[in-house]
Amino acid sequence: VSSAAVQTLWAELIAGSLADAGVRLCVISPGSRSTPLVAAIAREPRLSRVTLVDERAAAFYALGAARATGEPAALVCTSGTAAAHYLPAIIEASSAGVPLLALTADRPPELQACGASQTIDQIGLYGGFVRAALDLGAPVGSPEALRAVRRKVVQAVTLARGPAPGPVHLEVPLRKPLEPAAAESAAEHALARTAAALRGPALIAPPRLIADAGAVAQLAAAIASEPAGLIVAGALPPTSAARAAAYALAARAGYPIVAEASSQLRFGPRPRAAAVVDHFDLIPAAQLPAPRLMIELGGEPVAAAWAPWIARLMSGPRPPARWILAGATWRDPDSGARAVVLGDPADALTALLAQLELRGARSPEWSIAWAALDRAAGVAAGAALAAVPHNEVAVLEAALAALPEAAVIQLGNSLPIRTIDHARAPAASPAWRVIAQRGAAGIDGLVAAASGATRAGAPVLLVVGDVSFAHDLGGLLAARATAAPLAVLVVDNGGGQIFGGMPVARAGLGAAFDEHWITAPAVDPVAIAAALGLRGVRAATPAEVAAAVAAALRAPGAATTVIHAPVAPAGARDVRRAALELGAPGAGGGDP
Ligand SMILES: Cc1ncc(C[n+]2csc(CCOP(=O)(O)OP(=O)(O)O)c2C)c(N)n1
Ligand SMILES: [Mg+2]
């Protein structure tokens, strides 16, 4: 049996099975070949739908939603280049371990490799960036085929969730006629009963990657015999449960935590016994104490001071024993780890705490020394801020001070994710969750991803550079599909100013440097917002930024406000240099 009615059943089984497997959000881009699937999704009340014409923005939107909620989001598009636009977000999802499902409609086999319109070879399109690529095949009216479709949807959702969460590709060939048709013949009615019998809650059993018990025991023993330890926390998912365990380990072991904003450890209440270093990047290099043991959580730190410090420690006389707990990814870019322990960091820390037996209480001197350096760095930052006009650190401090309690902060790549750790958080800051695209560290898709992050229901502040904003102008269409207020804070320092701090800036390239590296986009974010029906505000001072952020995120509804904050091109660099010089009088500061 093969008919329009069978294809309709087939599509309904896919949509219903997605919902049975716990998927709640479908981000759909329009097209013809996907018609049966989209019609079925539109009739499935458990699936909420967002429509975005640009598949690239759609994929980043789904990425942001999945990252903020921890739940897989589904993408649906038509055949051809539509599917190719998913690639950048799929790469980020793969590198960062975010669950996604990409359902790409396609021509059936008889229309492949023959010049049929809008037909490309979609099998294997995402290469090694998906956890699995499952071809559902063209609809077949047999009970076996229906069971297989159901199985593949459940399989896809399971593999997207674990053991290494990430994207999964579902290829969905469909035949004309594409519009829904009701079962008529006896055979079609029999198949409809078969499909109905397959439905019901699906048991999704994603395996969890658990750190090896022997490795955890060895690390516990190493901690027990080493008082001079340091925890360094890079990017961790906003849904990670590692927070409490990391503080508990810091308190028990007497190890300070260098907490980057993306680690989820920088904001919110912390136990007094845990020393947390917020401004590692502003401590003069010569003053950094040398740890003997390091526990590195999550992603690679982004602080400019990190790589030169590690290089120095590793080539020094007593390199530290470095234990990397980064989840399911192998993270050791300088090949200097004592061990990379794969497994969920929260589980690993909990297991570690259970095994940790310290002989007596730790002397607090080591932690106190780090805490004193951090305090001095914060004071130096304050003084540097006051001395440098129109700098982005002041803009960030103002934005943080205006944030509502439940807010999510999404940090753009380039300078925002770095300067946030030069900013001082307000006293007793709420435990704001932080989203960062550190999987592949692209400056792409940030506006669309922040729009998707509102699906978690909390207001979102996106801090984004002016070039990154220009890169995702298409993503602003997604900012009309928010589920909570969104503030897009465009820190406009006149181009990609991260390059101004790199050696290329001093390579004598002249005008070519501005033309090919700085690339000031010269767009007016307020005018662009207005053209798209979004609110746009220019905020020339930190006080205006605070007012604009408060107004944007404390308002009821789910409106998006683009806040244009011009700052001095070298502001971020100048603040860091000044803070380092204040911290080390006469020493000439740290690394550029
Ligand atoms: C998709 C992508 N393209 C290019 C880059 C390289 N890149 C890194 S930072 C940057 C400039 C970013 O400028 P802006 O957003 O204004 O941030 P700023 O450096 O001024 O903080 C570029 C082009 C990248 N990381 N990702
Ligand atoms: Mg910039």
Side-chain angles (χ1 to χ4, degrees), residues 209-377:
L209 194 63
I210 301 286
D212 175 64
V216 170
Q218 281 195 44
L219 176 53
I223 294 170
S225 59
E226 180 50 69
L230 185 70
I231 302 168
V232 179
L236 284 164
T239 47
S240 168
R243 183 191 178 94
Y247 290 141
L249 178 64
R252 282 266 302 283
Y255 288 4
I257 307 182
V258 169
E260 295 206 333
S262 58
S263 70
Q264 321 301 334
L265 295 166
R266 256 213 76 193
F267 304 115
R270 305 151 164 181
R272 281 183 70 85
V276 184
V277 177
D278 291 332
H279 309 297
F280 164 81
D281 200 35
L282 298 181
I283 301 174
Q287 296 176 16
L288 286 169
R292 303 281 306 122
L293 187 157
M294 292 170 82
I295 301 166
E296 299 178 29
L297 300 176
E300 182 74 359
V302 297
W306 171 253
W309 187 51
I310 278 297
R312 200 152 48 84
L313 287 176
M314 296 311 289
S315 59
R318 298 178 78 197
R322 294 167 58 200
W323 295 75
I324 319 280
L325 276 55
T329 40
W330 196 273
R331 193 266 269 178
D332 182 21
D334 54 282
S335 309
R338 162 84 177 77
V340 175
V341 183
L342 299 177
D344 179 73
D347 291 343
L349 289 173
T350 306
L352 190 58
L353 279 164
Q355 296 204 26
L356 189 59
E357 281 179 36
L358 297 174
R359 292 173 279 277
R362 286 260 148 100
S363 148
E365 271 157 49
W366 168 254
S367 275
I368 287 173
W370 275 94
L373 286 169
D374 187 51
R375 229 174 1 259

Side-chain angles (χ1 to χ4, degrees), residues 65 69-70 110-111 138 241 316 369 407 513 558:
T69 61
E110 63 271 20
L111 292 179
F513 176 63

Side-chain angles (χ1 to χ4, degrees), residues 2 7 10 33 79 104-123 135-140 152 171-176 178:
S2 165
Q7 179 156 274
W10 186 265
R33 191 54 55 165
S79 63
T104 58
D106 202 351
R107 263 57 173 177
E110 63 271 20
L111 292 179
Q112 296 290 333
C114 60
S117 174
Q118 214 180 308
T119 307
I120 63 166
D121 182 2
Q122 294 179 192
I123 309 283
D135 184 355
L136 299 190
V140 173
K152 284 181 180 174
E171 163 80 350
V172 192
L174 296 163
R175 286 199 172 93
K176 285 185 174 170
L178 297 161

Side-chain angles (χ1 to χ4, degrees), residues 392 413-416 440-444 464-469 471 491 493 495-499 517-519:
E392 44 229 85
N413 281 323
S414 207
L415 292 178
I443 59 163
D444 45 350
V464 67
D466 51 319
V467 175
S468 306
F469 175 75
H471 199 296
V491 180
N493 51 16
Q497 292 298 338
I498 195 166
F499 298 118
W517 279 266
I518 295 292
T519 64

